[in-house]
Amino acid sequence: MTEGNHPNTNTDEAVESTRPEELKQRIDNGEDVFVLDVRSKGDFEEWRIDGETVDVVNYPYFELLDGIPEDLHGNLPDDRRITVLCAKGGSSEMVAELLEAGGYDVDHLERGMKGWARIYQSQELDTNVDATVAQYQRASSGCLAYLIASDGEAAVIDPLRAFTDEYVQDVRTLGVELAYAVDTHIHADHISGIRDLATETGATPVLPEPAAERSIEYDGDYETVEGGETLTVGDVDIEVVHTPGHTTGMTAYKVGDVLLTGDGVFTESVARPDLEDPEAARDAARTLYESLHEKVLSLSEETIIAPAHFSDAATSEDDGTYTAELGVLIERMDALTMDEDEFVEFIVADMPPRPANYEEIIATNLGRDSPDDEEAFELELGPNNCAASEEALTD
């Protein structure tokens, strides 16, 4: 298609924009979405919007300063709306105006990928627990957090600092007091929110004891827990299950039929063992195997696995949550039925790139660095890459 096929419809009116939440809703609804991503090739390959009904073309905006090239015209649809996106929303608006002047049906993503990274949604889990158990989802990075509320008290597991206000608002809406802000381990992909929640609500920050042994340097007080202990929230007990492997401190939390596995096992993969100490990855993989078989796979097959992350390769349940029954995972994920040596070789053979800025993020979560809110938000932009494979290990 040539530019001449499109009458010039340029006006003084600003090109239409779409909010990130609106775009995500279209994707979640299974609508056909066409995205023109005008970021650099490197940024696009590292992190992008995707989905089963999403078509994406990457064409850097700096190659569009003199107009829309013929080869790009050939990749753009005549009969579908085109959503242009960039990093912050400025370049995408300029490109969208060019396309609109060429006769295309077009909008641009408000605030770009930074806006996409601000999407945060929650969904209550269907469990046998006499409590509210909700899963928070960050679509841009696949980070998952959890709220457990019972009889006037609540705990948040694996909170993100960037969304502290969301948790505070939710506990107020529920009319409960936040008793604990808990991490499953020292995260390498996002800035933990346990200290900010403690400041905002008076909640007690909680870390696994082995995680704290990595020389935590917090200004404020915090508590530690070890495997076999419990945290009581209202009428429910949260069991502490130490599951090292991803890190030495990796700890799951079990409430009723739900196991919050952190990064020990996901619904589409298992943990990578190299983010705490790359030189010890093989030994950590062996530890991970022991944790899975002794602490996780020994549970009832009806146990609901609720991880701390999901990847682009994951498929949500019908209710929109990223959870799965343990028995289903055992059937679908060969890694869970391998013998130990085979498992270790499989896990260390082809691990994906490490999360962006993971060393700085770890240093922040240990209390050694103190980035401000905007710096912290920038550090964690991009995919989480905490699983052993970028592809699903499930059938």
PDB file of all heavy atoms in Angstrom, residues 6 15 39 65 81 109 122 125 166 225 235 251 340 346 368:
ATOM      1  N   HIS A   6      -4.044   6.988   0.668  1.00  0.00           N
ATOM      2  CA  HIS A   6      -4.748   7.496   1.847  1.00  0.00           C
ATOM      3  C   HIS A   6      -4.896   9.007   1.744  1.00  0.00           C
ATOM      4  O   HIS A   6      -3.906   9.737   1.745  1.00  0.00           O
ATOM      5  CB  HIS A   6      -3.968   7.152   3.122  1.00  0.00           C
ATOM      6  CG  HIS A   6      -3.877   5.684   3.341  1.00  0.00           C
ATOM      7  ND1 HIS A   6      -4.872   4.959   3.949  1.00  0.00           N
ATOM      8  CD2 HIS A   6      -2.931   4.789   2.988  1.00  0.00           C
ATOM      9  CE1 HIS A   6      -4.532   3.685   3.984  1.00  0.00           C
ATOM     10  NE2 HIS A   6      -3.364   3.560   3.394  1.00  0.00           N
ATOM     11  N   VAL A  15      -4.575  13.796  17.964  1.00  0.00           N
ATOM     12  CA  VAL A  15      -4.913  12.414  17.664  1.00  0.00           C
ATOM     13  C   VAL A  15      -5.463  11.741  18.917  1.00  0.00           C
ATOM     14  O   VAL A  15      -5.084  12.074  20.042  1.00  0.00           O
ATOM     15  CB  VAL A  15      -3.684  11.666  17.122  1.00  0.00           C
ATOM     16  CG1 VAL A  15      -2.648  11.463  18.225  1.00  0.00           C
ATOM     17  CG2 VAL A  15      -4.071  10.341  16.504  1.00  0.00           C
ATOM     18  N   ARG A  39       9.368   1.962  19.655  1.00  0.00           N
ATOM     19  CA  ARG A  39      10.597   2.000  20.448  1.00  0.00           C
ATOM     20  C   ARG A  39      11.739   1.355  19.666  1.00  0.00           C
ATOM     21  O   ARG A  39      11.538   0.751  18.601  1.00  0.00           O
ATOM     22  CB  ARG A  39      10.397   1.279  21.781  1.00  0.00           C
ATOM     23  CG  ARG A  39       9.383   1.939  22.709  1.00  0.00           C
ATOM     24  CD  ARG A  39       9.158   1.086  23.947  1.00  0.00           C
ATOM     25  NE  ARG A  39       8.633  -0.229  23.590  1.00  0.00           N
ATOM     26  CZ  ARG A  39       8.849  -1.349  24.283  1.00  0.00           C
ATOM     27  NH1 ARG A  39       9.604  -1.312  25.370  1.00  0.00           N
ATOM     28  NH2 ARG A  39       8.319  -2.490  23.886  1.00  0.00           N
ATOM     29  N   LEU A  65      10.782   9.891  10.989  1.00  0.00           N
ATOM     30  CA  LEU A  65      10.783  11.346  11.113  1.00  0.00           C
ATOM     31  C   LEU A  65      10.460  12.036   9.797  1.00  0.00           C
ATOM     32  O   LEU A  65       9.968  13.173   9.785  1.00  0.00           O
ATOM     33  CB  LEU A  65      12.141  11.817  11.644  1.00  0.00           C
ATOM     34  CG  LEU A  65      12.517  11.311  13.040  1.00  0.00           C
ATOM     35  CD1 LEU A  65      13.906  11.807  13.433  1.00  0.00           C
ATOM     36  CD2 LEU A  65      11.484  11.758  14.068  1.00  0.00           C
ATOM     37  N   ARG A  81      -8.089  -0.753  13.676  1.00  0.00           N
ATOM     38  CA  ARG A  81      -7.476   0.371  14.398  1.00  0.00           C
ATOM     39  C   ARG A  81      -6.047   0.016  14.749  1.00  0.00           C
ATOM     40  O   ARG A  81      -5.752  -1.101  15.183  1.00  0.00           O
ATOM     41  CB  ARG A  81      -8.272   0.702  15.650  1.00  0.00           C
ATOM     42  CG  ARG A  81      -7.539   1.624  16.621  1.00  0.00           C
ATOM     43  CD  ARG A  81      -8.460   2.447  17.470  1.00  0.00           C
ATOM     44  NE  ARG A  81      -9.102   3.485  16.671  1.00  0.00           N
ATOM     45  CZ  ARG A  81      -9.562   4.637  17.197  1.00  0.00           C
ATOM     46  NH1 ARG A  81      -9.448   4.879  18.486  1.00  0.00           N
ATOM     47  NH2 ARG A  81     -10.149   5.531  16.438  1.00  0.00           N
ATOM     48  N   LEU A 109      -1.032   5.036  22.672  1.00  0.00           N
ATOM     49  CA  LEU A 109      -1.143   4.615  24.063  1.00  0.00           C
ATOM     50  C   LEU A 109      -0.696   5.733  24.993  1.00  0.00           C
ATOM     51  O   LEU A 109       0.457   6.170  24.955  1.00  0.00           O
ATOM     52  CB  LEU A 109      -0.301   3.363  24.318  1.00  0.00           C
ATOM     53  CG  LEU A 109      -0.436   2.734  25.707  1.00  0.00           C
ATOM     54  CD1 LEU A 109      -1.859   2.220  25.923  1.00  0.00           C
ATOM     55  CD2 LEU A 109       0.564   1.609  25.904  1.00  0.00           C
ATOM     56  N   SER A 122      -6.728  -6.663  40.671  1.00  0.00           N
ATOM     57  CA  SER A 122      -6.819  -7.740  41.652  1.00  0.00           C
ATOM     58  C   SER A 122      -8.028  -8.614  41.358  1.00  0.00           C
ATOM     59  O   SER A 122      -9.008  -8.172  40.749  1.00  0.00           O
ATOM     60  CB  SER A 122      -6.912  -7.182  43.076  1.00  0.00           C
ATOM     61  OG  SER A 122      -8.084  -6.417  43.249  1.00  0.00           O
ATOM     62  N   LEU A 125      -9.475 -15.129  44.848  1.00  0.00           N
ATOM     63  CA  LEU A 125      -9.319 -16.543  44.554  1.00  0.00           C
ATOM     64  C   LEU A 125     -10.490 -17.334  45.131  1.00  0.00           C
ATOM     65  O   LEU A 125     -11.053 -16.980  46.166  1.00  0.00           O
ATOM     66  CB  LEU A 125      -8.021 -17.083  45.153  1.00  0.00           C
ATOM     67  CG  LEU A 125      -6.705 -16.412  44.758  1.00  0.00           C
ATOM     68  CD1 LEU A 125      -5.524 -17.203  45.323  1.00  0.00           C
ATOM     69  CD2 LEU A 125      -6.570 -16.287  43.259  1.00  0.00           C
ATOM     70  N   GLU A 166      -2.323   1.213  46.618  1.00  0.00           N
ATOM     71  CA  GLU A 166      -3.380   0.264  46.267  1.00  0.00           C
ATOM     72  C   GLU A 166      -3.708  -0.639  47.456  1.00  0.00           C
ATOM     73  O   GLU A 166      -4.878  -0.882  47.775  1.00  0.00           O
ATOM     74  CB  GLU A 166      -2.948  -0.598  45.082  1.00  0.00           C
ATOM     75  CG  GLU A 166      -2.648   0.171  43.819  1.00  0.00           C
ATOM     76  CD  GLU A 166      -3.899   0.473  43.019  1.00  0.00           C
ATOM     77  OE1 GLU A 166      -4.958  -0.085  43.353  1.00  0.00           O
ATOM     78  OE2 GLU A 166      -3.801   1.266  42.069  1.00  0.00           O
ATOM     79  N   VAL A 225      10.806 -15.077  60.009  1.00  0.00           N
ATOM     80  CA  VAL A 225      10.105 -16.340  60.264  1.00  0.00           C
ATOM     81  C   VAL A 225      10.932 -17.482  59.678  1.00  0.00           C
ATOM     82  O   VAL A 225      11.698 -17.301  58.728  1.00  0.00           O
ATOM     83  CB  VAL A 225       8.698 -16.352  59.633  1.00  0.00           C
ATOM     84  CG1 VAL A 225       7.765 -15.422  60.381  1.00  0.00           C
ATOM     85  CG2 VAL A 225       8.738 -15.997  58.148  1.00  0.00           C
ATOM     86  N   ASP A 235      -8.732 -15.116  61.898  1.00  0.00           N
ATOM     87  CA  ASP A 235      -9.065 -16.493  62.269  1.00  0.00           C
ATOM     88  C   ASP A 235      -8.266 -17.528  61.494  1.00  0.00           C
ATOM     89  O   ASP A 235      -8.556 -18.726  61.599  1.00  0.00           O
ATOM     90  CB  ASP A 235     -10.562 -16.745  62.024  1.00  0.00           C
ATOM     91  CG  ASP A 235     -11.442 -15.971  62.997  1.00  0.00           C
ATOM     92  OD1 ASP A 235     -10.981 -15.702  64.127  1.00  0.00           O
ATOM     93  OD2 ASP A 235     -12.573 -15.621  62.608  1.00  0.00           O
ATOM     94  N   THR A 251      10.818 -18.852  50.516  1.00  0.00           N
ATOM     95  CA  THR A 251       9.864 -19.391  51.479  1.00  0.00           C
ATOM     96  C   THR A 251       8.453 -19.263  50.942  1.00  0.00           C
ATOM     97  O   THR A 251       8.047 -18.210  50.456  1.00  0.00           O
ATOM     98  CB  THR A 251       9.978 -18.646  52.824  1.00  0.00           C
ATOM     99  OG1 THR A 251      11.269 -18.910  53.394  1.00  0.00           O
ATOM    100  CG2 THR A 251       8.903 -19.086  53.801  1.00  0.00           C
ATOM    101  N   GLU A 340      16.489 -36.529  39.969  1.00  0.00           N
ATOM    102  CA  GLU A 340      17.254 -35.364  40.424  1.00  0.00           C
ATOM    103  C   GLU A 340      18.315 -34.923  39.429  1.00  0.00           C
ATOM    104  O   GLU A 340      18.416 -33.730  39.096  1.00  0.00           O
ATOM    105  CB  GLU A 340      17.899 -35.666  41.783  1.00  0.00           C
ATOM    106  CG  GLU A 340      18.628 -34.471  42.378  1.00  0.00           C
ATOM    107  CD  GLU A 340      19.083 -34.713  43.803  1.00  0.00           C
ATOM    108  OE1 GLU A 340      18.560 -35.653  44.452  1.00  0.00           O
ATOM    109  OE2 GLU A 340      19.956 -33.962  44.271  1.00  0.00           O
ATOM    110  N   PHE A 346      18.640 -30.176  33.305  1.00  0.00           N
ATOM    111  CA  PHE A 346      17.609 -29.492  32.539  1.00  0.00           C
ATOM    112  C   PHE A 346      17.499 -28.021  32.948  1.00  0.00           C
ATOM    113  O   PHE A 346      17.403 -27.122  32.097  1.00  0.00           O
ATOM    114  CB  PHE A 346      16.273 -30.209  32.749  1.00  0.00           C
ATOM    115  CG  PHE A 346      15.105 -29.557  32.076  1.00  0.00           C
ATOM    116  CD1 PHE A 346      14.930 -29.642  30.708  1.00  0.00           C
ATOM    117  CD2 PHE A 346      14.159 -28.852  32.825  1.00  0.00           C
ATOM    118  CE1 PHE A 346      13.844 -29.030  30.084  1.00  0.00           C
ATOM    119  CE2 PHE A 346      13.078 -28.246  32.212  1.00  0.00           C
ATOM    120  CZ  PHE A 346      12.918 -28.338  30.832  1.00  0.00           C
ATOM    121  N   ARG A 368      20.524  -1.653  51.012  1.00  0.00           N
ATOM    122  CA  ARG A 368      21.828  -1.023  50.795  1.00  0.00           C
ATOM    123  C   ARG A 368      21.743   0.196  49.895  1.00  0.00           C
ATOM    124  O   ARG A 368      22.557   1.112  50.006  1.00  0.00           O
ATOM    125  CB  ARG A 368      22.789  -2.054  50.189  1.00  0.00           C
ATOM    126  CG  ARG A 368      23.025  -3.257  51.095  1.00  0.00           C
ATOM    127  CD  ARG A 368      23.775  -4.361  50.389  1.00  0.00           C
ATOM    128  NE  ARG A 368      23.824  -5.578  51.201  1.00  0.00           N
ATOM    129  CZ  ARG A 368      24.248  -6.756  50.764  1.00  0.00           C
ATOM    130  NH1 ARG A 368      24.682  -6.878  49.508  1.00  0.00           N
ATOM    131  NH2 ARG A 368      24.238  -7.815  51.568  1.00  0.00           N
TER     132      ARG A 368
END
